[in-house]
Amino acid sequence: MDKKWWKESVVYQIYPRSFNDSNGDGIGDIKGIIEKLDYLKNLGIDVIWLSPIYQSPNDDNGYDISDYKAVMNEFGTMEDMDTLVEEIHARGMKLMMDLVVNHSSDEHQWFIESKKSADNPYRDYYIWKKGDNGKPPNNWSSFFSGSTWDYDETTDEYYLHLFSKKQPDLNWENPALRKEIYDMMTWWLDKGVDGFRMDVINLISKVDGLPSTSSGKDLDWGGEYFMNGPLVHEYLQEMNQQVLSKYDIITVGESPGATTKDAARYANAEGTELNMIFTFEHMDLDSGPGGKWDVKPWTLGDLKEVMSKWQYDLAGKGWNSLYLNNHDQPRMVSRFGNDGEYRVRSAKMLATFLHMLQGTPYIYQGEEIGMTNVRFESIEEYDDIEIHNMFREAVTEGGQDYDKVMEAIYVKGRDNARTPMQWDNSDHAGFTTGTPWLKVNPNYDEINAVNALNDQDSIYYFYQHLIQMRKQHDVIVYGKYELIQKDHAQIYAYTRTLDQDELLILCNFSGEKAEFSYEMTSKQDTVELLVQNMETVEDQFLSELTLAPYEARVYKIS
Ligand code: ISL
Ligand code: CA
């Protein structure tokens, strides 16, 4: 068992714009985060992942960076950042920065130079190409709708942007660009930050020649030409040698389209690239062939299959990161649980399910109080560029049915996760004294942190307990995973084993009672109920038991 502190840690993600506003301008900020550090310490988390706070014109809420060594004015100053690092460390926690280096903002000085002329020294910091008879160089469609290419008159060429046109892709083939990035990373690490979450890091290497897809369509998903591309491992190994390996840090690479085979390289146990990656396979279970907005119901069978594949395939070879939501995804309790009658119980069940798997768990702000998806009445109330671009293409230009598209936004839209954190039941949930940049979910009256802190049975304290259990039982971190009773239609059941210790994890994913029977395997002496999400659990023999709707139990058998 290869012990590492980042395997034993629990990470909490802060989306700064929506976390806590200290000065009443309606936008969360760094001072606001500092005010809430004790709340996080009390929860028990070890590491904070901070979504981008760098200078940015905010086309994509900070994922479009115009200066990697400056702080966005709305969020505060570099002094505030230094204080944040100090205050986090003073509480024995660590800070993981978001690193967005597949692309920059088009307002970054590098791009401003790059655009000036074809022989500008910064030209090759980005990816420029001549058009194809008045059309873009290839037919790739962007993550945010439309083409991945934008035309620039000055030099009569197009530049590549996998995301918005204000997020031009950086050219990793250029060693000068790579050096700039490594230097910038070193600069932050020397300031004392403890690691990086790397935005779409598996997109940095594109296939030579940037070919169109074979479909002949005007616009098509070109993922095979830029996801897990030919040189990505080479670049990450170089980054590891020049930067990461010199520090004792935590690294996680966001990697859409990565298979477990890819992951076993990115997150290899020898440590030559990253510590772990974020997979998207479980996030795609409710997408039909038309992609993210083509919503279909997910099934428990598929969830078991995908999660188990990642558990088995990385065992001993790499390390998993565990998450059910983040700032790009709907709220976990609305998506995989029940955000009505069984909100509290199902949120705890999902937390149990996730935290007992092998890997490093990530909690997204508000998850610990069971925040839910939101339904705004009109499209104007939404902010997210992905939502607006899709809506324009589908409804305004494409003539699709308004209600149907809004329904997809209610289920999948990223703003579900971005409504302000609900601190108390005062105006705007105590997030701001001003007008919030995005409306607060109207259910803040009931769902808020003060209520959670005043209730010993709250989801918040449940997470606290899960985290404490992780610190006390090695088997939770290092135990071997095994899926059991794979065909059970309601219960996701699995075991974890380490030496003499075995955990039995039972999660009822349905709103109905569920029967379960378990054959004791070896010479078990003691059976201890470590975790449970019901007020009372009837004393039952493991061999024959009934779980209530969304009930979860963890038994330790030794
Ligand atoms: O949001 C998504 C789910 O549909 C993805 O398409 C998402 O855009 C993709 O996972 C990449 O996400 C990351 O990079 C984006 C940024 O908008 C996201 O917030 C970030 O997490 C571009 O930097
Ligand atoms: Ca503010």
Side-chain angles (χ1 to χ4, degrees):
M1 139 175 124
D2 185 17
K3 288 199 154 203
K4 293 278 189 298
W5 63 263
W6 44 264
K7 295 181 177 175
E8 296 169 13
S9 295
V10 174
V11 183
Y12 184 97
Q13 181 190 355
I14 291 181
Y15 193 68
R17 208 171 182 74
S18 303
F19 192 61
N20 185 32
D21 174 21
S22 72
N23 64 352
D25 66 355
I27 297 170
D29 45 53
I30 297 168
K31 285 206 171 89
I33 297 172
I34 296 172
E35 290 172 6
K36 299 294 183 183
L37 290 178
D38 288 331
Y39 168 86
L40 298 178
K41 179 67 191 169
N42 184 43
L43 185 60
I45 58 113
D46 305 282
V47 179
I48 293 171
W49 152 25
L50 185 58
S51 276
I53 46 78
Y54 312 92
Q55 189 178 298
S56 161
N58 266 315
D59 189 50
D60 184 20
N61 283 353
Y63 283 90
D64 48 318
I65 296 169
S66 53
D67 185 344
Y68 291 96
K69 294 187 187 170
V71 171
M72 196 188 304
N73 290 336
E74 291 169 332
F75 288 164
T77 62
M78 193 56 81
E79 253 184 2
D80 294 338
M81 262 317 283
D82 293 337
T83 313
L84 178 67
V85 174
E86 259 171 51
E87 294 291 327
I88 288 174
H89 288 167
R91 288 166 178 78
M93 300 186 289
K94 295 179 190 283
L95 176 63
M96 175 162 73
M97 298 287 279
D98 215 308
L99 183 77
V100 189
V101 290
N102 172 69
H103 44 270
S104 73
S105 162
D106 64 338
E107 297 182 34
H108 194 290
Q109 203 52 44
W110 297 337
F111 192 73
I112 293 171
E113 287 297 318
S114 186
K115 246 171 43 165
K116 283 184 179 162
S117 68
D119 55 7
N120 187 285
Y122 288 91
R123 186 66 172 181
D124 287 338
Y125 273 45
Y126 295 87
I127 302 171
W128 292 94
K129 236 186 147 180
K130 286 264 173 266
D132 178 12
N133 288 319
K135 286 201 301 191
N138 69 26
N139 69 347
W140 299 352
S141 61
S142 150
F143 276 83
F144 293 161
S145 306
S147 168
T148 51
W149 296 93
D150 218 57
Y151 178 68
D152 187 56
E153 272 182 356
T154 321
T155 54
D156 184 33
E157 285 192 345
Y158 291 77
Y159 66 89
L160 178 75
H161 59 88
L162 296 181
F163 293 89
S164 98
K165 61 176 188 228
K166 286 184 67 62
Q167 294 167 300
D169 278 53
L170 290 161
N171 177 16
W172 276 72
E173 289 182 19
N174 180 349
L177 175 268
R178 298 206 300 278
K179 181 164 186 319
E180 297 248 26
I181 289 174
Y182 303 153
D183 288 350
M184 176 271 287
M185 292 171 71
T186 301
W187 186 84
W188 278 103
L189 289 166
D190 287 343
K191 256 183 171 307
V193 308
D194 307 286
F196 296 108
R197 173 271 186 189
M198 303 185 188
D199 193 66
V200 288
I201 200 68
N202 70 328
L203 308 187
I204 59 178
S205 167
K206 281 83 179 173
V207 164
D208 252 359
L210 313 173
S212 277
T213 68
S214 54
S215 70
K217 289 192 218 158
D218 275 351
L219 271 186
D220 196 8
W221 178 241
E224 62 188 290
Y225 303 104
F226 52 75
M227 297 196 305
N228 313 301
L231 298 177
V232 65
H233 295 287
E234 206 170 289
Y235 297 149
L236 287 175
Q237 283 162 27
E238 180 184 72
M239 179 199 282
N240 183 293
Q241 279 157 20
Q242 300 200 13
V243 187
L244 309 177
S245 60
K246 300 184 176 159
Y247 301 84
D248 182 21
I249 53 176
I250 176 169
T251 54
V252 53
E254 192 206 20
S255 308
T259 63
T260 54
K261 221 168 146 205
D262 298 316
R265 293 183 71 187
Y266 290 125
N268 68 71
E270 291 69 44
T272 62
E273 297 188 15
L274 305 174
N275 295 154
M276 54 195 138
I277 67 164
F278 288 131
T279 170
F280 279 69
E281 286 193 10
H282 61 313
M283 293 288 115
D284 294 337
L285 293 178
D286 52 5
S287 298
K292 165 171 181 170
W293 303 107
D294 177 16
V295 183
K296 68 163 199 203
W298 61 277
T299 69
L300 183 60
D302 287 347
L303 184 70
K304 288 184 188 182
E305 194 182 312
V306 165
M307 301 307 283
S308 300
K309 178 171 68 178
W310 282 80
Q311 292 286 304
Y312 287 126
D313 289 3
L314 290 195
K317 293 194 195 137
W319 190 252
N320 274 292
S321 62
L322 308 169
Y323 75 100
L324 287 175
N325 49 199
N326 60 36
H327 66 294
D328 291 334
Q329 301 293 339
R331 288 283 176 182
M332 140 188 135
V333 69
S334 300
R335 193 182 198 178
F336 296 105
N338 173 309
D339 63 8
E341 186 186 353
Y342 293 118
R343 183 183 65 86
V344 171
R345 200 192 292 169
S346 69
K348 293 175 180 175
M349 183 278 288
L350 292 168
T352 306
F353 160 65
L354 197 74
H355 283 236
M356 293 298 133
L357 291 169
Q358 193 185 66
T360 300
Y362 288 71
I363 302 169
Y364 177 64
Q365 69 184 40
E367 174 185 331
E368 78 282 11
I369 55 170
M371 281 177 63
T372 67
N373 281 353
V374 74
R375 292 170 77 96
F376 292 140
E377 252 168 57
S378 77
I379 187 69
E380 283 76 38
E381 288 171 287
Y382 286 88
D383 171 86
D384 177 22
I385 182 168
E386 184 188 40
I387 292 179
H388 281 286
N389 286 1
M390 181 279 286
F391 184 90
R392 188 170 5 92
E393 197 167 87
V395 180
T396 320
E397 293 160 11
Q400 286 180 38
D401 183 54
Y402 178 93
D403 290 333
K404 199 171 159 241
V405 171
M406 287 305 286
E407 218 31 71
I409 292 172
Y410 293 153
V411 179
K412 287 290 193 72
R414 303 197 297 184
D415 282 342
N416 280 312
R418 299 178 180 185
T419 61
M421 176 71 187
Q422 293 162 206
W423 293 107
D424 58 37
N425 64 6
S426 67
D427 285 355
H428 307 305
F431 161 73
T432 180
T433 53
T435 307
W437 70 278
L438 181 68
K439 275 189 10 192
V440 171
N441 191 317
N443 63 21
Y444 70 87
D445 208 28
E446 178 201 341
I447 305 173
N448 63 63
V450 164
N451 279 355
L453 292 168
N454 288 333
D455 172 8
Q456 279 312 310
D457 287 327
S458 68
I459 301 169
Y460 179 93
Y461 291 118
F462 190 84
Y463 273 87
Q464 195 184 50
H465 178 65
L466 285 176
I467 298 171
Q468 281 166 3
M469 290 295 102
R470 184 179 189 81
K471 308 289 173 201
Q472 288 168 22
H473 303 278
D474 267 355
V475 61
I476 297 177
V477 180
Y478 296 106
K480 182 170 137 299
Y481 168 93
E482 194 180 345
L483 178 68
I484 56 172
Q485 300 194 15
K486 125 179 179 313
D487 296 323
H488 200 297
Q490 295 163 281
I491 296 178
Y492 191 140
Y494 62 96
T495 58
R496 303 284 308 284
T497 321
L498 184 72
D499 304 326
Q500 297 311 303
D501 291 341
E502 177 179 326
L503 294 180
L504 172 65
I505 297 100
L506 304 176
C507 296
N508 183 357
F509 270 76
S510 80
E512 317 287 328
K513 278 201 234 165
E515 311 290 333
F516 188 83
S517 59
Y518 185 65
E519 300 260 332
M520 294 287 221
T521 42
S522 49
K523 21 90 206 132
Q524 291 113 353
D525 298 325
T526 53
V527 177
E528 184 191 348
L529 187 57
L530 278 195
V531 178
Q532 46 119 336
N533 66 347
M534 304 284 291
E535 259 165 55
T536 50
V537 172
E538 277 173 54
D539 203 13
Q540 287 169 311
F541 289 115
L542 274 186
S543 54
E544 206 63 35
L545 46 82
T546 305
L547 296 189
Y550 295 105
E551 181 169 1
R553 295 185 202 175
V554 179
Y555 290 101
K556 188 175 177 203
I557 304 164
S558 35

